[in-house]
Amino acid sequence: MSTFRATSAERGTTLTGDAKLEFVSQLFDVVAHRYDAVNAVLALGFVDRWRRKALSAGLVATFAPAFARGRRVFRRGDSVLDVGCGTGNVTRFLEYEAMNYLALDVVGVDCSKNMIEEARRLTPGEAKYEVGNAGKLRFADASFDCVTTCYTLRNFSDVPETLREMFRVCKPNGTLLILDAFPPTGIFGAVLRLWLRFVLPLVGALMTGEKKAYAYLGTSIERARTPREVADELEALGAEAVEISALFPFGAASAIIARKPFDGSSK
Ligand SMILES: C[S@@+](CC[C@H](N)C(=O)[O-])C[C@H]1O[C@@H](n2cnc3c(N)ncnc32)[C@H](O)[C@@H]1O
């Protein structure tokens, strides 16, 4: 039996290392064909809206003006690595849709071969997608101007190792951009937690027949690191100008943008 089938949603959130990689790869293999449709319904379109907002240079100007003065997230012709690319939403937005005027060159990596297949099916042209582990990227040091990752952190088998890898493959003066759902706080956070615990698994089950996958995804958000913790980890790696931008009240979604300094060898 597969690790995903043999492991409860609760246990899935506590796995680490190869077991987590296997669990998560198999989970996303199972839901790949309905992944975007379920997201659109469950998050009322917010997941896509936040992704677009975080990726567009507008976010920097709106939420982090001090940082925006220094540089924009993407410059014309930049090479971009999208870690945990899933069905290729980041590649399509950057390379084929709203930001295609920047002529970015995007590579997407994901551990789920079915998500990569969906990405290839949904993306026109010769988009670059490959199966790979975020914790052991095959790219040389300083390969990309920008490294992005959206809605992935809590799924990684080893978050510090993955942040280290993202930092390593980023060029000096390059940008790291992380967008994710984080544990909701406050009174409204309690409502969101009920949504994550009960509505998400139910709707996920109705749309895909895979209740466990969506129970895991809800629990993983509740147990995720906070944006501040992720920012601290980036700073410990040597990242500069680390900015947290809340995209939704009560901490439900935030973007973290950081720059690798010119002398930015990993600490
Ligand atoms: C919630 S999806 C987000 C997909 C995409 N970034 C988006 O914005 O729609 C998380 C993705 O991370 C991938 N993932 C999780 N752990 C990974 C790892 N260790 N290496 C590569 N990809 C990973 C999963 O397979 C999945 O496709």
Side-chain angles (χ1 to χ4, degrees), residues 155-177:
N155 298 304
F156 291 146
S157 26
D158 184 332
V159 176
E161 175 186 67
T162 304
L163 293 178
R164 237 182 352 262
E165 280 292 89
M166 291 174 59
F167 193 75
R168 178 183 68 75
V169 302
C170 186
K171 289 181 187 172
N173 205 34
T175 308
L176 297 154
L177 189 156

Side-chain angles (χ1 to χ4, degrees), residues 21 24 28 35 51 84 86 89 110-111 115 132-134 150-151 156:
L21 180 63
V24 165
F28 282 100
Y35 173 76
R51 193 188 300 103
N89 286 303
D110 200 285
C111 63
M115 291 295 261
N133 177 5
C150 298
Y151 305 116
F156 291 146

Side-chain angles (χ1 to χ4, degrees), residues 100-200:
N100 64 357
Y101 63 94
L102 284 177
L104 302 171
D105 181 17
V106 188
V107 177
V109 174
D110 200 285
C111 63
S112 156
K113 63 177 179 8
N114 289 358
M115 291 295 261
I116 290 287
E117 260 172 39
E118 275 297 290
R120 290 197 179 116
R121 189 178 69 76
L122 294 169
T123 311
E126 297 290 308
K128 295 177 194 153
Y129 293 116
E130 58 186 66
V131 176
N133 177 5
K136 291 190 174 45
L137 295 170
R138 71 167 181 83
F139 307 99
D141 296 359
S143 295
F144 297 92
D145 297 299
C146 187
V147 184
T148 60
T149 195
C150 298
Y151 305 116
T152 49
L153 280 189
R154 63 216 138 77
N155 298 304
F156 291 146
S157 26
D158 184 332
V159 176
E161 175 186 67
T162 304
L163 293 178
R164 237 182 352 262
E165 280 292 89
M166 291 174 59
F167 193 75
R168 178 183 68 75
V169 302
C170 186
K171 289 181 187 172
N173 205 34
T175 308
L176 297 154
L177 189 156
I178 296 169
L179 162 68
D180 220 317
F182 290 97
T185 56
I187 295 173
F188 189 62
V191 177
L192 278 178
R193 271 196 297 282
L194 290 176
W195 180 273
L196 293 173
R197 234 170 260 182
F198 300 107
V199 181
L200 194 138

Side-chain angles (χ1 to χ4, degrees), residues 3-24:
T3 306
F4 171 61
R5 293 287 173 220
T7 309
S8 70
E10 176 74 17
R11 171 111 178 84
T13 61
T14 64
L15 295 175
T16 54
D18 288 348
K20 176 80 176 260
L21 180 63
E22 218 170 279
F23 177 87
V24 165

